[in-house]
Amino acid sequence: MQSADADAGGAEMERSGATQGICWLLVGVGLAMVAARIAVVRSATGEVPFLGANDRSRWATVSALVDDGTYAIDRQLEIRDAGTGRRTWQTIDLVRHRGRDGRQHYYSSKPPLLPTMIAGVYAAVRGATGSTLEERPFFVGRWVLALVNLPMLAVLYGCVVSVILRCRLGVSRCGTGHFGGWGAVFLTAGTVFGTLVTPFAITLNNHLPAAMATAVALWCFVNLHRRGGLERGQSPGTLPRQGGGPEKAVTPSVAKGRQSPEMSPHQGGVSGRAVTPSGATPSGAERGLSSWGTLWESLLGARGLPRAGWGWMFLAGAAAAFAVANELPALSMAAVWSVMALRRDWIRGLTAFAPGALLVAVAFFGTNWLAHATWRPAYAHRTVGAPVASFEATTAASPSSGPRPADVRRALTAFAEGPVTVEPSRTPDRWRAHFRDTDQLWAIERAADVNAGGRSGGATRFVIREWDDWYDYPGSYWTAENLTGVDRGEPSRVVYAFHMLGGHHGVFSLTPLWLLSLVGSVLWLVRGGRTGRATEAAESEEGGEAEPDPLFRRLLAAGIVAVTLVCMAFYVARPLIDRNYGGVSVAFRWLLWLVPLWLWLAIPAVAAMQRSRWGRAVCGVLLIGSTFSVFAALENPWSHPWIYRYLDYLGWIAD
């Protein structure tokens, strides 16, 4: 019997080793595929390795920092290709405001933290090669892309695959199988070839770093909530103690009948009646108190686990915050991670998780201050500031006319001097007053509270406000008359929600793999991920990892589902100009940071589907459909999804 058990265990280890080998091989193939794509990346016009306005905005900041020592990108915007004469660094993703030198400058509208980090890589490449991005854009740009994006993609893949390989789910009362083998290989293939994060690895963007950070946070918390199975350095048959050291060796059958008095009733997946430290059977009252205590601990804290590692918590906090630094809506998931951290170990949550998040926050706001001399990100400057003065026009004015420069100069005598020009702005009934000597801007609005149309008798009353609309500048793309295509926004929120979920930018139509995440979320919430009626004790005996914190999976799944719904509702509720599907992009890209979490949600669905031939066939079809979208997007992620392009070809997309 012992020999048969040993043979079975050896075969299981062999299968497990083969599964891991295949999974990591797929990761390597995926990285090689992306590396090859980076090696030949070039724009549609062939002059630079920049693929769209979004990444050109970041490249301009990187170049300005290293080559010019400033965040202002005025010079980069004027760079022209020697052969074609085109301005190959031109971008619409920019803002304009007064710099520290008192003059108006152009800046990238993207948060400066990530470009500042990339600038360090560019500085190293420039120092090693003696070449600049402007002189040799392909040579330097491709090296920078490879050194920045490939490590991030490797971390993303590595964290997700590690979580997949760690997961073991019982699938029946008798334990006839576990998630693993086919399921692990399938989800690894989905991670590498089936999500639309991969195409963004060939360009500078914020979505890959945000997805990577989310994957790191997920990996940290899965490790922080590891079940009470064998830990490194323990021999088979030992149970972990609260302090991390081993107790005396016991067999699983013995473990079923008793548990360590230092462990919570759920730790290690140990079942059976609880015993007191003296070994006596507790009374009914004691058992009742123990049950209430267990419920309290389950709801408010994972007290059956050892003290959380400081490094794990610090890394989790930094990763959660870095995701927010790249995708603001990830703040909702950061709140979930914070609750998880405090619940897991509130001391480490305050002394490790919080400092890790604070470090990233300081870097985010610090670089924003260096770039713009304000704590608010550039995208928060879209309107005008506080009123500073008001005046009435000295001559009659028609409802559509603006104020005379002389009237403006007289009203602002206490604030500015010199010649002034008055120009229309991108907002009706608002004008820009530009004092040329000091390069100051002021906003002038027609008063809305004086009779009808702001007219008082024969004069028109105007209010002067501080200028704070950084997207309003001469030639700005972000005006009603200049916006084109999807950037004009979708008027109907219902239509927008449809295309976001199942239409031309659909989460499910472009990546049908997420249907498994939909099913998996239900399984996580209802059964804790188990696809049959397996008990935790049975899972422990059959090779799974018994869980000391039974609510962790359910709480994490609930958090992911809630955050997903909140983010989707947030984007549907945005004003017209922001309902643009993420602009020209191969996906509804603002949700891509959730990809690692959606892959985790899919685990129990795959565990259930892998048990039958038809289930595996359905999974295969979903993966093939998702992979089609990925490979269609590998040429340039800053292009429309293949569904949108096909509908446009059919003439079904309105101009």
Side-chain angles (χ1 to χ4, degrees), residues 476-547:
S476 173
Y477 173 76
W478 305 106
T479 61
E481 59 271 15
N482 289 338
L483 292 172
T484 60
V486 293
D487 287 333
R488 290 197 295 263
E490 171 54 57
S492 169
R493 286 187 167 88
V494 174
V495 173
Y496 191 69
F498 168 77
H499 284 301
M500 178 181 70
L501 295 175
H504 50 60
H505 282 75
V507 170
F508 298 108
S509 53
L510 290 172
T511 311
L513 189 68
W514 301 138
L515 293 172
L516 294 174
S517 303
L518 201 62
V519 176
S521 64
V522 176
L523 294 175
W524 280 123
L525 293 171
V526 175
R527 299 178 178 177
R530 288 182 289 276
T531 58
R533 294 178 294 174
T535 64
E536 291 178 18
E539 286 185 30
S540 181
E541 284 187 41
E542 294 152 13
E545 297 179 345
E547 187 173 12

Side-chain angles (χ1 to χ4, degrees), residues 212-238:
M212 177 208 68
T214 302
V216 171
L218 174 66
W219 178 64
C220 287
F221 276 97
V222 167
N223 279 282
L224 283 165
H225 288 81
R226 283 188 301 184
R227 299 178 173 197
L230 295 180
E231 302 288 342
R232 184 174 296 179
Q234 292 181 330
S235 59
T238 63

Side-chain angles (χ1 to χ4, degrees), residues 611-655:
R611 299 164 59 191
S612 71
R613 182 179 303 172
W614 283 107
R616 293 192 294 272
V618 169
C619 287
V621 170
L622 296 178
L623 178 58
I624 290 171
S626 302
T627 303
F628 181 90
S629 296
V630 172
F631 278 77
L634 275 178
E635 181 181 1
N636 184 358
W638 304 114
S639 56
H640 287 301
W642 68 268
I643 298 177
Y644 184 98
R645 283 181 277 174
Y646 185 64
L647 294 178
D648 188 41
Y649 167 76
L650 295 176
W652 293 2
I653 300 293
D655 293 333

Side-chain angles (χ1 to χ4, degrees), residues 103-251:
R103 313 307 296 177
Q104 295 288 328
H105 294 287
Y106 288 102
Y107 300 83
S108 169
S109 61
K110 309 304 178 184
L113 175 58
L114 183 63
T116 302
M117 298 171 68
I118 297 172
V121 177
Y122 169 43
V125 172
R126 176 184 168 179
T129 64
S131 301
T132 68
L133 274 167
E134 183 178 355
E135 296 167 347
R136 304 180 68 186
F138 287 108
F139 175 74
V140 177
R142 288 167 176 170
W143 266 112
V144 172
L145 268 178
L147 293 173
V148 170
N149 283 4
L150 287 178
M152 285 197 292
L153 190 65
V155 171
L156 168 62
Y157 288 167
C159 288
V160 174
V161 172
S162 294
V163 170
I164 291 170
L165 291 174
R166 179 173 293 280
C167 190
R168 295 290 186 270
L169 298 174
V171 295
S172 73
R173 179 182 293 279
C174 301
T176 57
H178 290 287
F179 173 76
W182 188 92
V185 172
F186 170 81
L187 265 185
T188 299
T191 302
V192 176
F193 303 112
T195 79
L196 285 164
V197 172
T198 296
F200 281 91
I202 67 171
T203 179
L204 290 188
N205 65 93
N206 58 307
H207 309 299
L208 176 60
M212 177 208 68
T214 302
V216 171
L218 174 66
W219 178 64
C220 287
F221 276 97
V222 167
N223 279 282
L224 283 165
H225 288 81
R226 283 188 301 184
R227 299 178 173 197
L230 295 180
E231 302 288 342
R232 184 174 296 179
Q234 292 181 330
S235 59
T238 63
L239 291 173
R241 295 172 62 91
Q242 185 78 7
E247 200 183 348
K248 71 174 185 177
V250 293
T251 63

Side-chain angles (χ1 to χ4, degrees), residues 51-61 71 73 77 89-96 106-111 115 203-207 372 378-379 382 470-471 473 475-478 483 487 580 582-585 589-590 638:
L51 299 180
N54 191 295
D55 71 327
R56 286 196 297 268
S57 179
R58 301 175 199 275
W59 280 113
T61 302
Y71 282 95
I73 61 173
L77 296 176
W89 295 63
Q90 187 63 34
T91 177
I92 61 174
D93 290 329
L94 53 83
V95 294
R96 184 171 180 254
Y106 288 102
Y107 300 83
S108 169
S109 61
K110 309 304 178 184
T203 179
L204 290 188
N205 65 93
N206 58 307
H207 309 299
H372 305 296
Y379 52 72
R382 293 189 178 191
W470 293 2
Y471 288 83
Y473 47 84
S476 173
Y477 173 76
W478 305 106
L483 292 172
D487 287 333
N580 63 0
V584 180
S585 169
R589 58 190 177 92
W590 295 324
W638 304 114

